Amino acid sequence: MEVIIQPSQETASVLAARMIAKVIRSKPEAVLGLATGSTPLGLYRELIRMYREEALDFSAVTTFNLDEYVGLGPSHPASYHRFMHENLFSQINVRPELTHIPDGLAPDVPASCEEYEAKIRDAGGIDIQILGIGSDGHIGFNEPISSLASRTRIKTLTPRTRADNARYFDSPDDVPHHVITMGIGSIMDAREVLLLGFGAGKADALAAAIEGPVSAQVPASVLQLHPKAHVLLDEGSASKLQRSEYYRYVYDNKPVWQLVS
Ligand code: F6R
């Protein structure tokens, strides 16, 4: 696990975008795993800027989103279909037919989850997966005690996650109880993982994920077992780490050939 502490959310987001751009430039038909929520917004803004100003080409890129609320259609203002359209897809040259998001209105949820897994496999697997982290340590919507081997399936949100996400809905009661999420096993299959976490509100979850034991109680801790996981933090989210000086030292002394420019 590589822990990179940046001065701000903005600088971390720019660095994350460069890491994604590096994957796309070396493999134009790259498969990206995408997240929603407030965390990746700066990263998406930077990718859009790179598309406009640096000719970053998404025309052959395939995307798979982590999750969607059960019961919300693509036009619902709080759906992740709508989020992705507004915050990324409508502003770059990705081909709509190569973008995938779990179907919140699927009549047969288990069958649609199996189909989602098959589509990821058929696309050749995910090259780089973007993740945020919940204040309870979730990745995707794999809440605490999710199986560390889980695949795409329906999950019940914790009351804490429903409260955290109430800001996107007219009323807290409107937040669905259920979601479809890629599993932890699905996420771990990605060839590279980029976990972003910003602000003091994520500091406890990140300290547990990075420095605590690997445990289903803190789903993000499973990334300690991933062969190529990077964690990008700002000063606030890094504030509870015991070994932050070491992480800074490692990054400051990184061999030049390993740096993303
Ligand atoms: C979203 C997702 C979630 C969020 C997490 C953090 O697709 O999978 O795990 O990344 O809940 O949300 P924000 O970024 O809104 O704090």
Side-chain angles (χ1 to χ4, degrees):
M1 192 181 247
E2 180 185 40
V3 181
I4 305 174
I5 303 169
Q6 288 285 297
S8 69
Q9 175 164 353
E10 288 68 36
T11 54
S13 299
V14 168
L15 181 58
R18 287 203 203 122
M19 293 165 91
I20 305 285
K22 186 178 175 192
V23 172
I24 297 173
R25 289 204 165 105
S26 68
K27 182 181 178 187
E29 70 289 2
V31 179
L32 308 183
L34 301 178
T36 56
S38 47
T39 304
L41 283 174
L43 157 63
Y44 293 157
R45 275 195 296 273
E46 180 63 9
L47 288 177
I48 293 164
R49 191 198 64 74
M50 291 170 129
Y51 161 68
R52 289 188 184 145
E53 297 174 17
E54 296 175 13
L56 182 61
D57 183 10
F58 292 86
S59 62
V61 164
T62 296
T63 68
F64 288 93
N65 264 79
L66 285 164
D67 37 28
E68 179 58 285
Y69 291 106
V70 170
L72 301 198
S75 59
H76 190 288
S79 77
Y80 287 161
H81 279 75
R82 178 92 167 253
F83 176 99
M84 289 311 300
H85 179 76
E86 285 178 358
N87 293 297
L88 186 64
F89 296 157
S90 63
Q91 302 185 61
I92 57 174
N93 66 336
V94 70
R95 283 162 56 197
E97 65 274 25
L98 296 185
T99 66
H100 306 85
I101 303 177
D103 180 1
L105 298 179
D108 182 341
V109 171
S112 78
C113 292
E114 270 184 42
E115 217 174 277
Y116 203 68
E117 289 277 332
K119 281 186 186 157
I120 297 174
R121 271 198 308 277
D122 292 348
I126 292 172
D127 290 300
I128 185 160
Q129 173 69 55
I130 300 163
L131 296 171
I133 185 169
S135 57
D136 62 3
H138 70 220
I139 46 174
F141 274 136
N142 297 285
E143 298 284 32
I145 75 156
S146 287
S147 159
L148 299 184
S150 51
R151 313 301 309 187
T152 304
R153 71 215 182 291
I154 191 166
K155 283 296 291 179
T156 304
L157 294 178
T158 60
R160 183 172 180 182
T161 299
R162 288 187 70 235
D164 283 349
N165 288 4
R167 64 191 189 281
Y168 295 107
F169 292 81
D170 290 340
S171 141
D173 293 338
D174 292 348
V175 184
H177 285 81
H178 297 112
V179 289
I180 296 173
T181 180
M182 275 167 56
I184 296 178
S186 330
I187 291 169
M188 289 294 282
D189 283 349
R191 287 183 267 281
E192 189 168 3
V193 175
L194 203 48
L195 172 66
L196 310 178
F198 304 127
K202 300 288 173 72
D204 285 321
L206 284 159
I210 296 165
E211 296 180 337
V214 173
S215 162
Q217 298 295 331
V218 182
S221 65
V222 74
L223 299 176
Q224 293 176 31
L225 299 174
H226 194 284
K228 201 171 180 191
H230 318 270
V231 188
L232 268 84
L233 309 174
D234 63 8
E235 293 292 347
S237 63
S239 59
K240 300 265 174 85
L241 295 173
Q242 301 288 323
R243 295 179 185 267
S244 57
E245 286 319 310
Y246 178 62
Y247 310 139
R248 291 180 210 272
Y249 165 88
V250 170
Y251 191 68
D252 290 345
N253 291 288
K254 219 170 153 162
V256 176
W257 57 269
Q258 275 191 339
L259 288 169
V260 174
S261 58

